[in-house]
Amino acid sequence: MAASSVPDAVPGGEHESALSAVPAAGNRRATPMPAHLKFFYGPMDCGKSTLALQIDHNHARQGRHGMLLVRYDRSGRPTITTRVGLARDAVEVDDDTDLRALVRGRWAAGRALDYLVVDEAGFLTEAHVDQLAELVDDQHVDVYCFGLATDFRTRMLPGAKRLFELADELHPVHVEVLCWCGRPGQLNARVVDGVVVRDGATVVVADTGAASGRGPQDTEEDVHYQVLCRMHHRRGDLGADPAGTRGQLSLDV
């Protein structure tokens, strides 16, 4: 057999080829693939939680091992729920949860973990997001976050703000949500007894009467959320006529 006419590559030499730095087949564990921190955001009812469960399903089908996390799900339980009826059990994140310890505890128990799916990530603390970034950079764990960007006052939520600062990728969820007027719905209004409110507790989950900012357990207020365009959020216009026959279907927590 004739000898190859291509000289052996010498590191740093003139004959070093572009392929000489490619690791040998089967050697990927020696050079872990970089992980990513991704944030998928949008208003209520745009399908964020549904997308979260779909991504988990797709990764699991390829043999990857994940963990579902949630912060203040609409159900009030440690579950990722969707408005199309899907639901999966998840680990509830509270203020004192150290997400790094959570992952390392799973590894210490001999269980694989390749990725995290975090729903309602806008309600995470800044410390939580910093921990997620550390897991991505130092432990090569992929992190997929889903949530609102702003609260009912149109202010950035703490977790969302930090994710905008740190995430490798930002993805608006493009399932169209409409205001009652037909314009794109951008903002989430809190409606108490038929009126858009501008103050109160940032988080209202399940026990809406207690969390509406008017005192614990002392009212029987009707509290729900409604997606509005910027103009009608600013005006507090819910689109209902005096007979209550027009307007968007409210989105109960």
Side-chain angles (χ1 to χ4, degrees), residues 3 28 30 62 77 107 162 170 178 191 216 240:
R28 284 184 60 188
Q62 299 304 319
R77 301 187 301 273
W107 284 335
R162 193 61 174 150
L170 299 169
L178 298 178
V191 183

Side-chain angles (χ1 to χ4, degrees), residues 28-226:
R28 284 184 60 188
R29 291 184 183 277
T31 54
M33 295 294 289
H36 297 89
L37 174 60
K38 301 182 182 183
F39 182 36
F40 299 81
Y41 64 94
M44 295 182 307
D45 217 27
C46 71
K48 299 182 299 297
S49 297
T50 303
L51 179 59
L53 295 184
Q54 182 67 55
I55 284 180
D56 175 57
H57 172 76
N58 290 350
H59 281 259
R61 285 192 63 187
Q62 299 304 319
R64 303 192 81 206
H65 301 274
M67 180 187 296
L68 302 180
L69 307 176
V70 68
R71 173 83 161 166
Y72 301 135
D73 183 72
R74 64 177 65 84
S75 67
R77 301 187 301 273
T79 307
I80 295 178
T81 61
T82 73
R83 290 188 171 91
V84 298
L86 302 174
R88 287 282 306 280
D89 290 339
V91 176
E92 179 75 35
V93 177
D94 59 31
D95 287 344
D96 298 325
T97 301
D98 187 325
L99 300 174
R100 300 162 301 181
L102 194 64
V103 170
R104 290 165 186 161
R106 179 152 174 165
W107 284 335
R111 303 174 65 187
L113 183 65
D114 303 306
Y115 64 93
L116 298 174
V117 172
V118 188
D119 200 22
E120 303 296 354
F123 298 116
L124 295 175
T125 66
E126 291 191 1
H128 288 143
V129 177
D130 289 342
Q131 292 164 14
L132 292 174
E134 182 177 329
L135 287 169
V136 169
D137 294 341
D138 298 346
Q139 305 299 329
H140 307 288
V141 175
D142 283 310
V143 177
Y144 302 89
C145 292
F146 303 82
L148 303 170
T150 59
D151 65 11
F152 69 102
R153 302 166 300 176
T154 73
R155 306 298 183 187
M156 287 284 287
L157 289 163
K161 179 177 181 296
R162 193 61 174 150
L163 282 164
F164 268 84
E165 293 166 347
L166 294 184
D168 299 299
E169 298 180 20
L170 299 169
H171 297 276
V173 179
H174 290 295
V175 175
E176 190 170 44
V177 182
L178 298 178
C179 178
W180 62 265
C181 67
R183 295 187 182 93
Q186 302 169 284
L187 302 169
N188 310 300
R190 180 180 294 170
V191 183
V192 178
D193 292 336
V195 177
V196 174
V197 297
R198 311 290 183 182
D199 56 17
T202 300
V203 181
V204 173
V205 178
D207 186 9
T208 55
S212 63
R214 301 190 186 183
Q217 306 291 348
D218 59 358
T219 64
E220 295 294 333
E221 297 165 332
D222 172 29
V223 182
H224 66 268
Y225 289 90
Q226 183 167 327

